[in-house]
Amino acid sequence: MNDFVYYTPTKVIFGKDKENEVGSELKKAGATKVLVHYGTGSVIRSGLLDKVRTSLNEAGIPFAELGGVVPNPRLSLVYQGIELGRREKIDFILAVGGGSVLDSAKAIGYGIPYSGDVWDFYDRKKQAEAIVPVGDILTLAATGSEMSNSSVITKDEGGIKRGYSNNLGRPVFSILDPQLTTTLPPFQTSCGCTDIIMHTLERYFTAKGNMDITDEMARGVVKTVMKHAPILLADPENYQSRAEVMWAGSLSHNGLTGCGNGGDDFATHRLEHELSGMYDVSHGAGLAALWGSWARYVMDDCLWRFRKFAVEIMDIPEEGSDRQIALKGIEAMEDFFRSINMPVSMSQLGVHPSDEEIQILARKCSDAVGGHIGAAKVLYPEDFVKIYQMAK
Ligand code: NZQ
Ligand code: ZN
């Protein structure tokens, strides 16, 4: 049991048609000029953007719009948003879309009041001291950005993907209507479910300690997603399952599933960010492709957690050595990923890095994490290389 700080200031407004209340929420938040930020078209096709415009007009709140956020959101659009935001005197940013839109909105929010280059924050050179506040209407249950303090942006030149975490980046409010996620392609639903599981496991696998209550919450999140992901692939409009997964996504990355565990691992995430930065793959699929290799590489340094995971989360019988049980748990997780059509290797992901490219991935990862990372096992660049090799 370790000391912890749990801070989740985001107001969550959860339920059917809650997006229609966005105008009044913005008013309550004191917004006088809003930047509506969105992606490459799903919110236009679904009619959500029109609903947002109507709600803002009804509330009498003027707004500007900036669409075009792509998955693995780009710094170049963030710069455009900062310019637009300053020109239009924006005092609130409304993200309407998936995690990429939310992350791009947070980056614009940091950039508007900052006199330097917003990339300074992502490049670990500076800490943000102010943000133009962000609220959101989420359309994809996955990243947990709707309650997290993180934003992940990719610099266009060189595909350098970097995360920046600061409590200023936690949204003021998040509107979560599970109905909005029914239009997702099955692949994105699976990527999202994988990401949610992984945010929970990144906190679960630590050699630094645990709290039973936190482990039980983690078990609840992972088991809930494992139950409802297959239902959604068969029945995409199932409201109950959409709602279960959506709330699991928020809980998985708002800090709750790490309280008292003494520190997160997040090595799989950081290894994956290099993959999606360099090859532009979907984050959730990239995680599935790497996780089993990471797990086998580190398990002996954190065996009791892997055994507990196998028995309590993956329902593996307590037969054989601790190591055998732990390995079966890892295999069962990979079987689940396969069952929802996620890759469990880089080749299945469609990525075939050469040995030289693996060295580049490892070097970039090392730059991003400051040389080492991991709470289950501390990993260094030579370890990154071995895990990428295993995941080929
Ligand atoms: O651009 P549009 O047309 O909206 O299409 C998107 C995009 O193509 C589409 N989509 C979203 N909602 C939809 C929909 N299509 C149909 N119906 C809907 N309701 O889905 C595609 C993927 O969207 P994206 O926002 O990129 O996905 P996701 O939410 O998984 O976000 C991934 C990004 O978040 C980062 C990832 O690294 C990646 O860059 N992460 C952010 C985190 C955070 N801020 O806390 C933590 C995560 O670990 C993660 O790293
Ligand atoms: Zn993630």
Side-chain angles (χ1 to χ4, degrees):
M1 161 65 200
N2 296 272
D3 299 347
F4 63 88
V5 175
Y6 178 58
Y7 178 67
T8 50
T10 304
K11 176 179 181 183
V12 174
I13 304 150
F14 193 104
K16 287 184 182 173
D17 302 325
K18 295 295 179 194
E19 60 274 19
N20 296 325
E21 297 171 18
V22 68
S24 65
E25 264 329 301
L26 286 163
K27 244 189 173 158
K28 281 183 221 159
T32 65
K33 181 86 189 266
V34 172
L35 175 62
V36 178
H37 198 34
Y38 57 93
T40 56
S42 71
V43 299
I44 298 171
R45 290 191 296 278
S46 68
L48 176 59
L49 189 60
D50 278 339
K51 287 185 189 171
V52 170
R53 289 172 178 145
T54 303
S55 183
L56 266 70
N57 284 331
E58 281 172 4
I61 299 176
F63 58 94
E65 293 183 9
L66 180 65
V69 181
V70 294
N72 303 315
R74 304 300 197 270
L75 183 61
S76 50
L77 190 72
V78 170
Y79 288 146
Q80 281 184 47
I82 293 169
E83 263 184 53
L84 178 66
R86 287 179 182 155
R87 201 169 58 238
E88 296 284 335
K89 302 202 176 355
I90 294 297
D91 60 13
F92 201 101
I93 305 172
L94 178 68
V96 186
S100 293
V101 177
L102 271 66
D103 286 3
S104 183
K106 291 178 185 183
I108 294 169
Y110 289 129
I112 291 174
Y114 180 56
S115 57
D117 182 348
V118 70
W119 188 248
D120 290 348
F121 305 132
Y122 294 81
D123 211 14
R124 298 190 296 128
K125 288 188 182 140
K126 285 269 162 67
Q127 284 297 331
E129 285 169 9
I131 191 168
V132 171
V134 173
D136 62 86
I137 303 173
L138 186 69
T139 64
L140 204 178
T143 64
S145 188
E146 68 275 14
M147 289 184 88
S148 85
N149 62 355
S150 305
S151 156
V152 187
I153 298 294
T154 299
K155 189 175 195 175
D156 308 53
E157 309 82 46
I160 300 169
K161 185 169 178 173
R162 292 278 186 274
Y164 178 59
S165 297
N166 184 319
N167 277 330
L168 291 170
R170 295 190 194 266
V172 175
F173 66 78
S174 289
I175 296 180
L176 309 183
D177 175 359
Q179 295 174 127
L180 297 176
T181 63
T182 57
T183 52
L184 281 169
F187 176 72
Q188 287 299 337
T189 296
S190 293
C191 286
C193 289
T194 303
D195 198 15
I196 295 167
I197 289 171
M198 287 303 308
H199 291 148
T200 313
L201 297 187
E202 296 278 20
R203 292 173 169 88
Y204 186 90
F205 288 112
T206 170
K208 296 184 177 175
N210 81 307
M211 280 183 88
D212 288 347
I213 186 162
T214 299
D215 287 356
E216 287 300 307
M217 286 178 187
R219 187 167 74 113
V221 170
V222 174
K223 278 185 157 304
T224 299
V225 176
M226 288 180 69
K227 174 178 172 185
H228 290 282
I231 296 175
L232 288 177
L233 293 185
D235 178 14
E237 305 217 345
N238 187 309
Y239 182 80
Q240 179 74 25
S241 293
R242 287 286 175 199
E244 302 272 7
V245 167
M246 196 163 211
W247 188 223
S250 302
L251 297 184
S252 74
H253 204 35
N254 72 2
L256 189 66
T257 57
C259 293
N261 279 4
D264 308 332
D265 190 86
F266 274 90
T268 312
H269 258 75
R270 304 310 284 266
L271 292 165
E272 193 293 317
H273 282 170
E274 300 314 322
L275 273 192
S276 44
M278 206 149 128
Y279 301 102
D280 206 16
V281 293
S282 290
H283 171 63
L287 292 171
L290 294 177
W291 182 79
S293 298
W294 167 85
R296 288 185 182 85
Y297 191 77
V298 307
M299 60 178 278
D300 290 317
D301 287 63
C302 196
L303 198 55
W304 78 276
R305 294 298 278 165
F306 277 91
R307 187 190 191 284
K308 186 174 159 98
F309 164 73
V311 172
E312 294 185 2
I313 300 185
M314 303 311 291
D315 298 326
I316 302 298
E318 295 185 73
E319 292 159 8
S321 69
D322 288 353
R323 200 164 193 282
Q324 284 167 334
I325 294 169
L327 269 174
K328 282 187 185 156
I330 295 169
E331 282 160 18
M333 188 80 258
E334 287 186 320
D335 285 345
F336 172 75
F337 289 149
R338 283 189 200 95
S339 77
I340 58 166
N341 304 315
M342 285 286 99
V344 294
S345 67
M346 290 196 286
S347 60
Q348 289 177 18
L349 180 66
V351 169
H352 307 276
S354 63
D355 289 348
E356 197 185 327
E357 284 167 335
I358 284 182
Q359 295 290 339
I360 295 170
L361 286 165
R363 183 176 47 70
K364 286 171 81 178
C365 187
S366 174
D367 289 348
V369 301
H372 60 84
I373 187 161
K377 175 183 170 73
V378 181
L379 300 175
Y380 296 88
E382 56 272 25
D383 302 307
F384 305 160
V385 169
K386 287 180 189 149
I387 293 169
Y388 283 129
Q389 291 286 5
M390 283 169 71
K392 265 185 162 179

